Amino acid sequence: MQNQQQSIQGILSIAALVCLAIGWFNLFSPEINHLLSRKVFYVLIGASFFIQAPLLTNKNFMYAMYAAAGICVLGAFLPDSSNLSALKTIGLLAGIILSMSNRSRNR
C-alpha cells in the first residue's frame, strides 16, 4: 500500500512539474499557460502533499503536511491580484520543508 501511495505521489509531482514547464516555456495560449502554471500546478502539488502526509513518521508533521496541502489548493483558487495569493507559495514551501525533514538520515 505504501509503494502504491508513493507511486501516485510521484506521478502527481511529475504532472505538476510538466504544468510548470508548460507555463514557463509558453507552449500554449497565455490563458492556458496561466491556468496550468498558476492553478493546476498548485492543485497537483497540494494533492501530492495530501497523499504524502500519511507516510510521514511524525504525527505533528503529518497534520502540518495536510495543512500545507490545503493551503496550496486553497491558494490556487484565489485571484492572483489578491494579497492572499502568496498563500499558495507558503503552502508549497512548507510542504517541501516537511517532505525534506522526513527523509531518512541513515542514507
Side-chain angles (χ1 to χ4, degrees), residues 23-59:
W24 280 348
F25 295 116
N26 296 320
L27 298 178
F28 298 112
S29 69
E31 295 83 18
I32 293 176
N33 289 331
H34 181 278
L35 177 71
L36 289 174
S37 67
R38 294 209 172 99
K39 305 285 184 198
V40 176
F41 168 75
Y42 285 103
V43 171
L44 289 173
I45 288 293
S48 174
F49 289 163
F50 186 78
I51 290 172
Q52 184 183 5
L55 302 175
L56 297 176
T57 54
N58 186 335
K59 291 290 183 195

Short mmCIF file of all heavy atoms in Angstrom, two decimals, residues 23-59:
data_model
loop_
_atom_site.label_atom_id
_atom_site.label_comp_id
_atom_site.label_asym_id
_atom_site.label_seq_id
_atom_site.Cartn_x
_atom_site.Cartn_y
_atom_site.Cartn_z
N GLY A 23 4.01 26.34 -18.54
CA GLY A 23 3.82 27.76 -18.27
C GLY A 23 5.06 28.58 -18.50
O GLY A 23 5.02 29.71 -18.99
N TRP A 24 6.21 28.04 -18.14
CA TRP A 24 7.47 28.76 -18.32
C TRP A 24 7.83 28.94 -19.79
O TRP A 24 8.32 29.98 -20.19
CB TRP A 24 8.60 28.04 -17.63
CG TRP A 24 8.70 28.26 -16.16
CD1 TRP A 24 8.05 29.20 -15.42
CD2 TRP A 24 9.51 27.52 -15.25
NE1 TRP A 24 8.40 29.08 -14.11
CE2 TRP A 24 9.30 28.07 -13.97
CE3 TRP A 24 10.39 26.46 -15.39
CZ2 TRP A 24 9.93 27.59 -12.84
CZ3 TRP A 24 11.02 25.98 -14.27
CH2 TRP A 24 10.79 26.54 -13.00
N PHE A 25 7.63 27.89 -20.57
CA PHE A 25 8.05 27.94 -21.97
C PHE A 25 6.96 28.42 -22.91
O PHE A 25 7.16 28.45 -24.13
CB PHE A 25 8.56 26.56 -22.40
CG PHE A 25 9.79 26.14 -21.68
CD1 PHE A 25 9.79 25.03 -20.85
CD2 PHE A 25 10.97 26.86 -21.79
CE1 PHE A 25 10.93 24.63 -20.16
CE2 PHE A 25 12.11 26.49 -21.11
CZ PHE A 25 12.10 25.37 -20.30
N ASN A 26 5.81 28.82 -22.37
CA ASN A 26 4.72 29.39 -23.16
C ASN A 26 4.38 28.53 -24.38
O ASN A 26 4.39 28.99 -25.51
CB ASN A 26 5.05 30.82 -23.59
CG ASN A 26 5.18 31.74 -22.41
OD1 ASN A 26 4.41 31.65 -21.47
ND2 ASN A 26 6.17 32.60 -22.44
N LEU A 27 4.07 27.27 -24.11
CA LEU A 27 3.78 26.34 -25.20
C LEU A 27 2.37 26.50 -25.77
O LEU A 27 2.11 26.08 -26.89
CB LEU A 27 3.98 24.90 -24.72
CG LEU A 27 5.40 24.55 -24.27
CD1 LEU A 27 5.46 23.13 -23.76
CD2 LEU A 27 6.38 24.75 -25.40
N PHE A 28 1.47 27.08 -24.99
CA PHE A 28 0.09 27.25 -25.43
C PHE A 28 -0.30 28.72 -25.35
O PHE A 28 0.56 29.59 -25.18
CB PHE A 28 -0.84 26.40 -24.56
CG PHE A 28 -0.56 24.92 -24.64
CD1 PHE A 28 -0.06 24.24 -23.55
CD2 PHE A 28 -0.79 24.21 -25.81
CE1 PHE A 28 0.21 22.88 -23.61
CE2 PHE A 28 -0.52 22.85 -25.88
CZ PHE A 28 -0.03 22.19 -24.78
N SER A 29 -1.57 28.99 -25.46
CA SER A 29 -2.05 30.37 -25.37
C SER A 29 -1.79 30.90 -23.95
O SER A 29 -1.65 30.13 -23.01
CB SER A 29 -3.54 30.43 -25.69
OG SER A 29 -4.28 29.81 -24.66
N PRO A 30 -1.74 32.22 -23.79
CA PRO A 30 -1.47 32.79 -22.46
C PRO A 30 -2.47 32.34 -21.39
O PRO A 30 -2.09 32.12 -20.25
CB PRO A 30 -1.55 34.30 -22.69
CG PRO A 30 -1.25 34.48 -24.13
CD PRO A 30 -1.77 33.26 -24.82
N GLU A 31 -3.74 32.16 -21.78
CA GLU A 31 -4.74 31.75 -20.81
C GLU A 31 -4.47 30.33 -20.31
O GLU A 31 -4.56 30.05 -19.12
CB GLU A 31 -6.15 31.82 -21.41
CG GLU A 31 -6.60 33.21 -21.76
CD GLU A 31 -6.10 33.67 -23.13
OE1 GLU A 31 -5.67 32.82 -23.95
OE2 GLU A 31 -6.11 34.88 -23.36
N ILE A 32 -4.13 29.43 -21.23
CA ILE A 32 -3.86 28.04 -20.85
C ILE A 32 -2.56 27.95 -20.06
O ILE A 32 -2.48 27.23 -19.06
CB ILE A 32 -3.85 27.13 -22.09
CG1 ILE A 32 -5.24 27.06 -22.68
CG2 ILE A 32 -3.32 25.75 -21.75
CD1 ILE A 32 -5.35 26.29 -23.96
N ASN A 33 -1.54 28.70 -20.48
CA ASN A 33 -0.27 28.72 -19.73
C ASN A 33 -0.51 29.19 -18.30
O ASN A 33 0.03 28.61 -17.35
CB ASN A 33 0.74 29.63 -20.41
CG ASN A 33 1.27 29.04 -21.70
OD1 ASN A 33 1.32 27.84 -21.86
ND2 ASN A 33 1.63 29.91 -22.62
N HIS A 34 -1.31 30.23 -18.13
CA HIS A 34 -1.62 30.77 -16.81
C HIS A 34 -2.38 29.73 -15.98
O HIS A 34 -2.06 29.51 -14.81
CB HIS A 34 -2.45 32.05 -16.95
CG HIS A 34 -2.79 32.68 -15.64
ND1 HIS A 34 -3.84 32.27 -14.86
CD2 HIS A 34 -2.20 33.70 -14.96
CE1 HIS A 34 -3.90 33.00 -13.77
NE2 HIS A 34 -2.91 33.86 -13.81
N LEU A 35 -3.36 29.10 -16.58
CA LEU A 35 -4.14 28.09 -15.88
C LEU A 35 -3.26 26.92 -15.41
O LEU A 35 -3.33 26.49 -14.26
CB LEU A 35 -5.26 27.56 -16.78
CG LEU A 35 -6.11 26.45 -16.20
CD1 LEU A 35 -7.01 26.99 -15.09
CD2 LEU A 35 -6.93 25.79 -17.27
N LEU A 36 -2.40 26.44 -16.29
CA LEU A 36 -1.55 25.29 -15.95
C LEU A 36 -0.48 25.63 -14.93
O LEU A 36 -0.25 24.88 -13.98
CB LEU A 36 -0.90 24.72 -17.21
CG LEU A 36 -1.83 23.99 -18.17
CD1 LEU A 36 -1.09 23.60 -19.44
CD2 LEU A 36 -2.44 22.77 -17.51
N SER A 37 0.19 26.76 -15.10
CA SER A 37 1.32 27.07 -14.22
C SER A 37 0.93 27.76 -12.92
O SER A 37 1.71 27.71 -11.96
CB SER A 37 2.35 27.92 -14.96
OG SER A 37 1.83 29.20 -15.24
N ARG A 38 -0.23 28.35 -12.86
CA ARG A 38 -0.62 29.07 -11.64
C ARG A 38 -1.81 28.48 -10.91
O ARG A 38 -2.09 28.90 -9.78
CB ARG A 38 -0.89 30.52 -11.97
CG ARG A 38 0.36 31.24 -12.43
CD ARG A 38 0.31 32.70 -12.10
NE ARG A 38 1.58 33.32 -12.37
CZ ARG A 38 1.85 34.01 -13.46
NH1 ARG A 38 0.94 34.15 -14.38
NH2 ARG A 38 3.04 34.54 -13.62
N LYS A 39 -2.50 27.57 -11.52
CA LYS A 39 -3.65 26.95 -10.87
C LYS A 39 -3.46 25.43 -10.76
O LYS A 39 -3.39 24.90 -9.66
CB LYS A 39 -4.94 27.24 -11.66
CG LYS A 39 -5.21 28.71 -11.91
CD LYS A 39 -5.71 29.39 -10.68
CE LYS A 39 -6.05 30.83 -11.02
NZ LYS A 39 -6.14 31.67 -9.86
N VAL A 40 -3.38 24.76 -11.90
CA VAL A 40 -3.29 23.30 -11.91
C VAL A 40 -2.03 22.82 -11.19
O VAL A 40 -2.07 21.83 -10.46
CB VAL A 40 -3.36 22.76 -13.36
CG1 VAL A 40 -3.18 21.26 -13.40
CG2 VAL A 40 -4.67 23.16 -14.03
N PHE A 41 -0.94 23.54 -11.36
CA PHE A 41 0.32 23.18 -10.69
C PHE A 41 0.11 23.08 -9.18
O PHE A 41 0.48 22.08 -8.55
CB PHE A 41 1.41 24.21 -11.01
CG PHE A 41 2.63 24.09 -10.16
CD1 PHE A 41 3.54 23.07 -10.37
CD2 PHE A 41 2.88 24.99 -9.13
CE1 PHE A 41 4.68 22.94 -9.57
CE2 PHE A 41 4.01 24.87 -8.33
CZ PHE A 41 4.91 23.85 -8.56
N TYR A 42 -0.48 24.09 -8.58
CA TYR A 42 -0.66 24.11 -7.12
C TYR A 42 -1.68 23.09 -6.66
O TYR A 42 -1.55 22.52 -5.58
CB TYR A 42 -1.03 25.51 -6.65
CG TYR A 42 0.17 26.44 -6.65
CD1 TYR A 42 0.34 27.38 -7.65
CD2 TYR A 42 1.13 26.35 -5.66
CE1 TYR A 42 1.45 28.21 -7.67
CE2 TYR A 42 2.24 27.18 -5.65
CZ TYR A 42 2.39 28.11 -6.66
OH TYR A 42 3.49 28.92 -6.66
N VAL A 43 -2.70 22.82 -7.46
CA VAL A 43 -3.67 21.79 -7.10
C VAL A 43 -3.00 20.42 -7.11
O VAL A 43 -3.19 19.61 -6.20
CB VAL A 43 -4.89 21.82 -8.05
CG1 VAL A 43 -5.79 20.62 -7.83
CG2 VAL A 43 -5.69 23.11 -7.86
N LEU A 44 -2.18 20.15 -8.13
CA LEU A 44 -1.47 18.86 -8.20
C LEU A 44 -0.46 18.71 -7.07
O LEU A 44 -0.33 17.63 -6.46
CB LEU A 44 -0.78 18.70 -9.55
CG LEU A 44 -1.70 18.48 -10.74
CD1 LEU A 44 -0.90 18.51 -12.04
CD2 LEU A 44 -2.46 17.18 -10.61
N ILE A 45 0.25 19.76 -6.76
CA ILE A 45 1.21 19.72 -5.65
C ILE A 45 0.48 19.51 -4.32
O ILE A 45 0.91 18.72 -3.48
CB ILE A 45 2.08 21.00 -5.60
CG1 ILE A 45 3.07 21.00 -6.76
CG2 ILE A 45 2.81 21.15 -4.27
CD1 ILE A 45 4.14 19.92 -6.68
N GLY A 46 -0.65 20.20 -4.15
CA GLY A 46 -1.46 20.00 -2.94
C GLY A 46 -1.94 18.57 -2.82
O GLY A 46 -1.90 17.97 -1.73
N ALA A 47 -2.39 17.99 -3.93
CA ALA A 47 -2.82 16.58 -3.92
C ALA A 47 -1.64 15.66 -3.59
O ALA A 47 -1.80 14.69 -2.84
CB ALA A 47 -3.43 16.22 -5.26
N SER A 48 -0.48 15.97 -4.11
CA SER A 48 0.72 15.19 -3.82
C SER A 48 1.07 15.25 -2.33
O SER A 48 1.39 14.23 -1.72
CB SER A 48 1.89 15.69 -4.66
OG SER A 48 3.08 15.05 -4.32
N PHE A 49 0.99 16.43 -1.75
CA PHE A 49 1.25 16.58 -0.32
C PHE A 49 0.21 15.82 0.50
O PHE A 49 0.53 15.22 1.52
CB PHE A 49 1.23 18.05 0.10
CG PHE A 49 2.41 18.86 -0.39
CD1 PHE A 49 2.35 20.24 -0.40
CD2 PHE A 49 3.57 18.26 -0.84
CE1 PHE A 49 3.42 21.00 -0.82
CE2 PHE A 49 4.65 19.02 -1.27
CZ PHE A 49 4.57 20.39 -1.25
N PHE A 50 -1.05 15.85 0.05
CA PHE A 50 -2.12 15.16 0.77
C PHE A 50 -1.87 13.65 0.79
O PHE A 50 -2.08 12.98 1.79
CB PHE A 50 -3.46 15.48 0.11
CG PHE A 50 -4.64 14.94 0.85
CD1 PHE A 50 -5.12 15.57 1.98
CD2 PHE A 50 -5.28 13.78 0.43
CE1 PHE A 50 -6.21 15.07 2.68
CE2 PHE A 50 -6.37 13.27 1.11
CZ PHE A 50 -6.83 13.91 2.25
N ILE A 51 -1.41 13.12 -0.32
CA ILE A 51 -1.12 11.69 -0.39
C ILE A 51 0.14 11.35 0.41
O ILE A 51 0.24 10.27 0.99
CB ILE A 51 -0.99 11.25 -1.86
CG1 ILE A 51 -2.37 11.29 -2.51
CG2 ILE A 51 -0.38 9.86 -1.98
CD1 ILE A 51 -2.38 11.06 -3.98
N GLN A 52 1.08 12.27 0.46
CA GLN A 52 2.33 12.02 1.19
C GLN A 52 2.13 12.11 2.70
O GLN A 52 2.87 11.46 3.46
CB GLN A 52 3.39 13.01 0.76
CG GLN A 52 4.73 12.78 1.39
CD GLN A 52 5.76 13.83 1.01
OE1 GLN A 52 5.45 14.80 0.34
NE2 GLN A 52 6.97 13.64 1.45
N ALA A 53 1.17 12.86 3.16
CA ALA A 53 1.00 13.11 4.60
C ALA A 53 0.92 11.84 5.45
O ALA A 53 1.59 11.76 6.48
CB ALA A 53 -0.21 14.00 4.84
N PRO A 54 0.13 10.83 5.08
CA PRO A 54 0.07 9.64 5.94
C PRO A 54 1.39 8.86 6.00
O PRO A 54 1.59 8.05 6.90
CB PRO A 54 -1.01 8.76 5.31
CG PRO A 54 -1.70 9.60 4.32
CD PRO A 54 -0.83 10.75 4.00
N LEU A 55 2.29 9.12 5.07
CA LEU A 55 3.57 8.42 5.04
C LEU A 55 4.60 9.02 5.99
O LEU A 55 5.64 8.43 6.23
CB LEU A 55 4.13 8.40 3.62
CG LEU A 55 3.24 7.77 2.55
CD1 LEU A 55 3.87 7.94 1.18
CD2 LEU A 55 2.97 6.32 2.85
N LEU A 56 4.30 10.20 6.53
CA LEU A 56 5.25 10.86 7.44
C LEU A 56 5.27 10.14 8.78
O LEU A 56 4.23 9.68 9.28
CB LEU A 56 4.87 12.33 7.63
CG LEU A 56 4.93 13.20 6.37
CD1 LEU A 56 4.45 14.60 6.68
CD2 LEU A 56 6.33 13.24 5.80
N THR A 57 6.44 10.03 9.36
CA THR A 57 6.58 9.27 10.60
C THR A 57 6.11 10.05 11.82
O THR A 57 5.58 9.47 12.76
CB THR A 57 8.05 8.85 10.80
OG1 THR A 57 8.88 10.02 10.73
CG2 THR A 57 8.47 7.87 9.73
N ASN A 58 6.28 11.34 11.83
CA ASN A 58 5.88 12.18 12.96
C ASN A 58 4.45 12.68 12.74
O ASN A 58 4.15 13.28 11.71
CB ASN A 58 6.86 13.35 13.07
CG ASN A 58 6.63 14.20 14.29
OD1 ASN A 58 5.54 14.26 14.85
ND2 ASN A 58 7.68 14.89 14.71
N LYS A 59 3.56 12.43 13.70
CA LYS A 59 2.15 12.84 13.56
C LYS A 59 2.00 14.34 13.43
O LYS A 59 1.14 14.83 12.71
CB LYS A 59 1.33 12.35 14.76
CG LYS A 59 1.17 10.87 14.82
CD LYS A 59 0.27 10.39 13.71
CE LYS A 59 0.06 8.90 13.83
NZ LYS A 59 -0.50 8.31 12.64
#
